[in-house]
Amino acid sequence: IAAVHACGTEEAFVEEMNRYAEELGCTGTHFANVHGLHDDSQKSTARDMAKILMTAIKNEAFWEPFSTYVVRIPATNLGPERKLSSGSFVFNQNLGSNHFDKRVTGSRTGTTINGERSIVLTAEYNDVELISIVMGSVSEINPNGRAGFYKEARVLLDIGFNK
């Protein structure tokens, strides 16, 4: 609905997304749809996602939901108040996960059709702000011993904050 409101059609919005990504210097990104679900022609790189995230967090309309792990939707005449919570274990302390990291100030996760996991997050520690982007990882529960995407994101933050 937002894409149609902004550009008239979803296709026009996708064109605008690709134009803006190119304007930001994203050379490895191509958007194919507005929702981010799998499409063989849709792609991006961690470097491009960093460029997009660094621009997006400057926008209050993006930052507010990105940096909030619990949102309350007021009651209406159609239903009671609802609470929506972030499912990011590294960000939402209410989930009781050992992956929670108090340095994280915002986070969103994604999953591809073949089960690969991705996360983009922002963090702050000792007046230093960083972003961490992990793409094409595995979930935290994996039989092959590979570190999961939450752990990989925290390792990147540790390296950055220790430099």
Side-chain angles (χ1 to χ4, degrees):
I1 295 174
V4 173
H5 178 74
C7 294
T9 66
E10 289 186 13
E11 293 78 14
F13 191 82
V14 169
E15 287 177 24
E16 182 63 15
M17 289 169 49
N18 285 314
R19 186 203 60 75
Y20 194 62
E22 187 176 317
E23 184 179 306
L24 292 176
C26 299
T27 58
T29 294
H30 174 76
F31 295 108
N33 58 54
V34 298
H35 43 70
L37 297 177
H38 179 76
D39 184 297
D40 285 339
S41 67
Q42 187 154 280
K43 62 182 180 172
S44 192
T45 66
R47 181 182 308 264
D48 285 357
M49 291 305 298
K51 290 176 183 179
I52 293 167
L53 181 59
M54 286 187 292
T55 301
I57 62 177
K58 296 174 187 173
N59 183 319
E60 184 65 29
F62 175 85
W63 179 251
E64 185 175 348
F66 182 78
S67 65
T68 304
Y69 59 86
V70 177
V71 176
R72 287 186 173 18
I73 300 173
T76 68
N77 62 328
L78 299 176
E81 178 184 80
R82 292 179 290 157
K83 184 173 79 169
L84 301 176
S85 298
S86 168
S88 176
F89 290 123
V90 74
F91 180 52
N92 187 344
Q93 63 186 342
N94 296 333
L95 297 175
S97 170
N98 62 349
H99 296 295
F100 175 72
D101 188 327
K102 64 183 178 184
R103 302 172 301 182
V104 175
T105 57
S107 172
R108 287 299 176 266
T109 61
T111 305
T112 64
I113 196 166
N114 61 357
E116 292 178 335
R117 302 297 307 264
S118 298
I119 187 168
V120 297
L121 59 84
T122 55
E124 183 176 359
Y125 180 71
N126 288 339
D127 296 323
V128 174
E129 296 178 30
L130 296 177
I131 62 170
S132 179
I133 301 190
V134 175
M135 300 172 72
S137 186
V138 295
S139 74
E140 294 304 313
I141 303 168
N142 58 81
N144 62 8
R146 285 180 57 197
F149 71 123
Y150 289 124
K151 183 175 181 180
E152 290 173 346
R154 286 200 344 246
V155 165
L156 289 174
L157 289 177
D158 290 342
I159 291 168
F161 286 129
N162 287 328
K163 296 288 178 187

